[in-house]
Amino acid sequence: MMQVNTSTGEVFDDEFDDDEWTDVDVDSFPNFFTPARIVNEGNDIRRFRAEDMELMAVHLERSPILPMLDYWRRMDTLDKHAGGRPPTLGDREILLLCFLLRSTGNGFLIQELAKTVAHNLDDSARELLGISSVRRHDDASVEEARWYFRCRRALVRLLKLMDSHPGKRLMYTQQDRRDLEAQRDPDDQEMRKERAAKFNAEVMQMTFNMQPRWLRRIKWKGVATVDQTALHAVSQSRRRKMKNGKEIVVTRKADGSLVERYVLEPDAGLYPRKDSNVAREHAAESEAIELDQVFALSITMMSQAEPGEENKHPNLVLASSVSAPNKEVGAQVVRGIKHVKANNSDLDVIVGDGAYATGQSVENYHEPLRQLGIGVLTDYHGGGDDRTQFGQKGGHAGSILTEGEFFCCATPKNLINAALDHSQGRIDEETMLARLDERRQYRLRAKEKPAADGSVPMMCPAFGPQATVECPLRTIHPKSSKKLKPVIEDANLPIAPEKICTQGSVKFDASIGQKYRQKYPYRSAEWAKAMKVGRNTVESLNADFKSKSGSIVDPRMRRMRGLTALYFMTTIALAHLNIQRIAKFLKTHLAKENALGRGTKLANKKKTVRARDRLRKTGYKSADRYRKGEVDYSFDPPPPPPLRT
């Protein structure tokens, strides 16, 4: 049956006639596999020019990174040269190539670096890198192999300066790993960890300085947030297992003999294969579970100050660190923050989960941050009575320490245990928040600002003209407010009052309760705002990093082994992510400026609360604790719209 186009009158057959295409001369087609496509293994990659790298070269040369690397190298060699001709690729050249490779989205492989130099640089780019005089080989494979070893040697020279975990790339048993750790010099390790943190912070500062002047001058509120994400080690062969909280170091072969388990990454840690709480709980029980070998990447980044407000600046990564899971996590973060603080004095609060606060020792995390003038914000975790972080956790001079604050010893027990009762399901969230608000009147007050060593004199809440409660042990000050205050009952008074009840003030050293102290009162409005925004910001970056930097997250696309190599690769990847975020922010800003220039009126963004959130009676997710005031816990339907008349 024929089909006719009524507009043009063209007639179509029912079936496509392919006979006229059977006699096409395929040999007359141009050759698809050009020399460039062959050497790039089928990919049509353009050749890079000098302008693709010259701006990065300018920023790199004007940062302290290159002089710093040269200084470290002279320190290690005591200005003694190894002899021979100078290397073809120096620190500047290999860093520029790494940034260029990262911008293409290819895997972070030395082979990819070699391909880029051998085949994908034009004459101007080679001149910028100082390799224009290097003679090329006619055979593309030979040329690529030569540049592979040149790039590899340049990376090894650079990583050696900050390699805190040296060791041969061999198969290691558990005993081999212990022997390797014993052979390492702790002082040398500490020095190179500091170098790695310094290098990381300076690279991030370099990306911060790439912002336009008007953007750099916008006042940052000084709130940072930190979180950890797992990155799988390159090799997962001979997977490790755990039983009763201990690693199983042998495996049974088919013939019944036992052989030791070997690993290729001696510095990687163990992580349950199934990322779930159930798998983590079983790791300490009798059931044996398989574990992956992973490294922990900790990211410290900027956070906006208020929830819902429009960002005035891009939230950039400030520092990062790599370690084994739950090993030196706090110390590694502090190393980076020290350099961030030196570059940016506005940093004064850091938001993190329990792994970065109550999960770390005071001497490795809390005290160094206090000396830097940085406060901590975190959430506590519940559990059984012996593991919970809620409720009373000691005290001083007769006061009670709970949720990071000191309270009067006569504070009612239901107020002291408000958060504990909520964590164990005895009261709802609304009751807990009401009790926490009432409890603040029993809080000890600071007599003056903290001293240089962090100590501060604290006063009883019933003492002085600013008293917030009335106590039988204290005379009411004549200038005290006449407002109604809670009255402490005689039954709650201690049998033998201590210093906080008898003296005008008591000195509290910084070390007292330091592990639980926070910048803002627990569950206060300031605390809730900073926690909500900080946690959401860093979780968003983790997702962004893993989606946009898949070649780094995927271990198959980063075959360089070792903790230091991974630290270097993630530093380059996060720096490039900063560049992407700055560009995206400037693109949005430019679009708004152009819209305003055309006379377009920008719509005010209003926060919309979903109906299922607006109308429900109780919470169903943990995020509700950060959303107080946004949700109406009621089943009552909204009023109907007025009838039209």
Side-chain angles (χ1 to χ4, degrees):
M1 181 178 179
M2 298 289 185
Q3 300 289 336
V4 180
N5 188 326
T6 57
S7 299
T8 63
E10 186 177 2
V11 179
F12 298 95
D13 292 331
D14 283 345
E15 296 182 359
F16 175 74
D17 185 11
D18 57 358
D19 292 339
E20 59 180 303
W21 297 93
T22 57
D23 297 330
V24 173
D25 184 10
V26 178
D27 293 334
S28 65
F29 292 176
N31 186 10
F32 179 81
F33 287 97
T34 61
R37 195 181 295 274
I38 292 174
V39 297
N40 287 296
E41 300 178 2
N43 298 315
D44 189 10
I45 301 177
R46 70 176 180 90
R47 304 190 78 184
F48 296 103
R49 300 168 297 177
E51 48 262 40
D52 296 321
M53 291 184 289
E54 59 186 1
L55 290 178
M56 177 62 73
V58 170
H59 281 275
L60 183 62
E61 291 165 0
R62 293 182 180 179
S63 74
I65 296 174
L66 296 178
M68 179 178 68
L69 294 174
D70 181 65
Y71 176 74
W72 291 344
R73 185 171 287 110
R74 289 189 287 110
M75 280 184 60
D76 290 348
T77 60
L78 298 179
D79 281 335
K80 294 180 180 178
H81 195 272
R85 57 186 179 182
T88 306
L89 296 176
D91 296 332
R92 170 184 174 273
E93 291 73 34
I94 196 64
L95 286 174
L96 287 175
L97 287 171
C98 287
F99 276 109
L100 181 65
L101 181 65
R102 181 64 259 158
S103 67
T104 64
N106 292 329
F108 210 121
L109 307 173
I110 300 179
Q111 183 179 2
E112 294 294 334
L113 287 173
K115 285 182 182 179
T116 300
V117 184
H119 312 305
N120 300 324
L121 299 179
D122 70 0
D123 292 339
S124 64
R126 294 174 69 91
E127 184 175 356
L128 177 69
L129 293 174
I131 57 174
S132 57
S133 61
V134 178
R135 187 173 60 182
R136 305 188 192 187
H137 199 280
D138 295 334
D139 189 331
S141 298
V142 175
E143 176 73 359
E144 189 175 313
R146 287 180 173 180
W147 282 110
Y148 176 90
F149 289 105
R150 288 166 180 161
C151 292
R152 184 180 183 277
R153 288 194 293 266
L155 282 171
V156 169
R157 284 194 301 270
L158 188 143
L159 296 181
K160 186 178 179 181
L161 299 175
M162 43 192 167
D163 189 3
S164 58
H165 293 74
K168 295 182 179 180
R169 303 297 181 238
L170 304 173
M171 301 286 283
Y172 287 88
T173 64
Q174 186 184 62
Q175 185 59 46
D176 292 337
R177 280 178 273 148
R178 291 173 179 170
D179 294 341
L180 176 64
E181 187 66 29
Q183 293 170 6
R184 292 169 175 167
D185 182 0
D187 295 334
D188 184 75
Q189 280 189 288
E190 186 64 25
M191 180 263 292
R192 297 189 190 278
K193 288 176 183 177
E194 289 289 345
R195 286 183 178 181
K198 176 68 173 176
F199 173 80
N200 175 272
E202 291 298 341
V203 170
M204 300 307 163
Q205 183 65 27
M206 179 184 70
T207 62
F208 180 88
N209 293 337
M210 290 177 178
Q211 299 176 106
R213 186 172 184 268
W214 66 267
L215 188 54
R216 295 197 309 270
R217 289 174 64 87
I218 293 178
K219 185 69 174 178
W220 172 47
K221 298 296 181 63
V223 179
T225 178
V226 61
D227 195 29
Q228 187 179 100
T229 186
L231 295 180
H232 283 75
V234 171
S235 173
Q236 298 291 333
S237 61
R238 301 283 182 95
R239 292 187 183 274
R240 292 148 78 174
K241 291 187 176 183
M242 181 177 287
K243 189 173 183 180
N244 293 328
K246 296 182 179 180
E247 180 184 353
I248 302 176
V249 298
V250 295
T251 184
R252 189 177 298 276
K253 297 178 66 175
D255 59 3
S257 60
L258 296 176
V259 295
E260 290 193 84
R261 293 178 180 269
Y262 293 87
V263 296
L264 281 171
E265 293 280 11
D267 299 303
L270 302 177
Y271 198 78
R273 290 185 63 183
K274 292 182 179 180
D275 188 11
S276 66
N277 291 330
V278 175
R280 297 182 190 185
E281 290 173 359
H282 285 176
E285 297 177 1
S286 60
E287 181 180 351
I289 63 167
E290 289 195 349
L291 303 160
D292 284 338
Q293 300 173 68
V294 303
F295 293 100
L297 171 64
S298 295
I299 299 175
T300 305
M301 64 174 298
M302 294 177 172
S303 175
Q304 66 191 74
E306 296 290 337
E309 74 173 7
E310 184 179 6
N311 277 351
K312 298 179 181 179
H313 54 75
N315 292 323
L316 305 179
V317 176
L318 299 171
S320 65
S321 62
V322 175
S323 63
N326 301 320
K327 187 176 181 181
E328 286 193 328
V329 176
Q332 288 280 53
V333 171
V334 170
R335 286 191 187 97
I337 290 178
K338 284 194 303 184
H339 300 296
V340 173
K341 184 69 174 179
N343 292 330
N344 194 320
S345 59
D346 293 330
L347 177 59
D348 66 347
V349 181
I350 185 163
V351 178
D353 58 20
Y356 289 97
T358 54
Q360 299 299 318
S361 64
V362 171
E363 57 272 14
N364 288 337
Y365 190 75
H366 301 267
E367 178 58 21
L369 289 181
R370 184 201 65 77
Q371 293 178 3
L372 293 171
I374 300 175
V376 174
L377 283 184
T378 187
D379 202 355
Y380 305 109
H381 66 74
D385 291 337
D386 57 335
R387 294 186 297 114
T388 183
Q389 295 176 346
F390 295 109
Q392 183 173 351
K393 293 297 177 184
H396 178 63
S399 63
I400 296 174
L401 172 64
T402 179
E403 282 86 64
E405 295 183 285
F406 293 93
F407 294 89
C408 168
C409 58
T411 306
K413 293 298 182 184
N414 65 326
L415 303 184
I416 290 293
N417 296 325
L420 175 63
D421 291 341
H422 175 259
S423 69
Q424 297 181 352
R426 290 190 284 267
I427 59 175
D428 59 19
E429 184 170 0
E430 185 177 358
T431 303
M432 178 199 67
L433 293 175
R435 292 182 180 179
L436 290 180
D437 188 57
E438 181 183 354
R439 189 178 72 179
R440 293 189 180 99
Q441 295 179 289
Y442 295 85
R443 185 172 54 194
L444 270 60
R445 308 192 318 276
K447 183 179 180 181
E448 56 192 44
K449 292 183 179 180
D453 61 357
S455 63
V456 59
M458 303 292 287
M459 300 187 300
C460 165
F463 180 76
Q466 287 80 35
T468 54
V469 298
E470 294 182 5
C471 176
L473 299 178
R474 294 288 189 180
T475 303
I476 299 177
H477 196 280
K479 294 184 179 180
S480 178
S481 171
K482 304 303 180 184
K483 293 181 180 179
L484 189 64
K485 305 181 186 68
V487 179
I488 294 176
E489 300 177 1
D490 292 336
N492 292 334
L493 293 174
I495 298 176
E498 297 190 41
K499 291 182 179 180
I500 199 64
C501 298
T502 59
Q503 297 182 181
S505 64
V506 178
K507 180 181 178 180
F508 279 64
D509 292 332
S511 59
I512 300 174
Q514 192 171 8
K515 190 171 186 177
Y516 298 98
R517 292 194 193 186
Q518 300 203 44
K519 178 74 172 181
Y520 304 132
Y522 179 67
R523 287 303 186 94
S524 63
E526 299 89 347
W527 181 95
K529 288 178 182 179
M531 281 294 296
K532 176 182 178 180
V533 177
R535 296 301 300 156
N536 288 347
T537 300
V538 74
E539 292 293 351
S540 173
L541 180 127
N542 279 339
D544 200 24
F545 176 66
K546 290 186 176 181
S547 62
K548 291 185 178 179
S549 301
S551 57
I552 291 295
V553 175
D554 186 357
R556 295 172 298 179
M557 301 303 290
R558 46 170 173 84
R559 305 303 295 178
M560 289 191 291
R561 300 205 304 266
L563 185 148
T564 305
L566 180 59
Y567 198 174
F568 174 78
M569 290 185 286
T570 54
T571 296
I572 300 297
L574 288 170
H576 182 67
L577 185 61
N578 275 356
I579 295 172
Q580 290 179 312
R581 289 195 155 211
I582 296 171
K584 183 178 179 181
F585 183 89
L586 293 175
K587 179 182 178 181
T588 303
H589 175 78
L590 182 61
K592 289 181 180 179
E593 292 292 322
N594 291 338
L596 292 174
R598 296 191 300 267
T600 305
K601 185 177 180 181
L602 300 179
N604 293 326
K605 291 185 178 181
K606 294 184 178 180
K607 187 169 184 177
T608 303
V609 181
R610 298 176 300 181
R612 68 182 186 185
D613 288 340
R614 192 172 60 248
L615 303 178
R616 57 192 168 82
K617 190 177 179 70
T618 58
Y620 64 90
K621 57 184 180 181
S622 60
D624 287 340
R625 59 188 173 184
Y626 303 133
R627 305 174 62 205
K628 180 174 174 57
E630 299 176 11
V631 179
D632 178 18
Y633 299 101
S634 171
F635 281 126
D636 297 331
L643 296 176
R644 293 184 178 180
T645 57

